[in-house]
Amino acid sequence: MNRSLLEGFTIHLMDIVIANSGVQTYEVYLDAQDTRNELFRFLYRIGPANSPDGSALIQNVGIYQEPMQLRIVTNRFTPGHCVIRMYLKNEYGVVIGILSEHQLHKLAD
């Protein structure tokens, strides 16, 4: 992940949303590193879809010139219950793109 991921736009910030579309609780681990440092590390317990803890939001993650390796790991084995969205923003905080978990898999390959 870097600032030039979206053609024609420069990414400065990113929001990451992880939600449960099922009824079983699961854990999600996220971390990010650049070439020198660990940027963040989070562990969330995501509750059932209709509960107050049925989603997690990480807001305004800075995207810099240096590439960032983002890792999202879950212990949810049934496909389709972990919903991931990344909202990519410009320098003014305006959303300029949205990536789903399917698109993230394509980028990783």
Side-chain angles (χ1 to χ4, degrees):
M1 169 86 47
N2 62 33
R3 282 192 169 180
S4 60
L5 179 68
L6 294 177
E7 192 172 315
F9 294 97
T10 303
I11 302 167
H12 287 265
L13 298 168
M14 168 178 65
D15 292 348
I16 303 169
V17 178
I18 300 169
N20 190 347
S21 64
V23 295
Q24 293 182 344
T25 300
Y26 60 89
E27 286 78 33
V28 175
Y29 172 81
L30 294 97
D31 72 10
Q33 300 176 18
D34 61 20
T35 56
R36 293 171 283 181
N37 300 308
E38 181 175 73
L39 303 174
F40 62 81
R41 183 187 324 181
F42 297 105
L43 179 63
Y44 292 102
R45 176 177 283 269
I46 308 294
N50 294 328
S51 69
D53 60 345
S55 66
L57 169 63
I58 303 168
Q59 287 186 291
N60 297 324
V61 175
I63 306 297
Y64 304 101
Q65 295 297 336
E66 195 169 319
M68 175 178 70
Q69 180 181 355
L70 176 66
R71 204 167 41 155
I72 303 172
V73 180
T74 178
N75 66 348
R76 184 77 201 133
F77 298 109
T78 305
H81 291 295
C82 180
V83 179
I84 301 169
R85 295 287 182 270
M86 295 173 66
Y87 295 86
L88 309 174
K89 301 176 180 180
N90 66 13
E91 66 271 21
Y92 304 109
V94 176
V95 175
I96 55 175
I98 302 171
L99 296 176
S100 69
E101 65 273 10
H102 178 71
Q103 292 166 317
L104 291 170
H105 281 290
K106 284 184 169 183
L107 285 173
D109 290 341

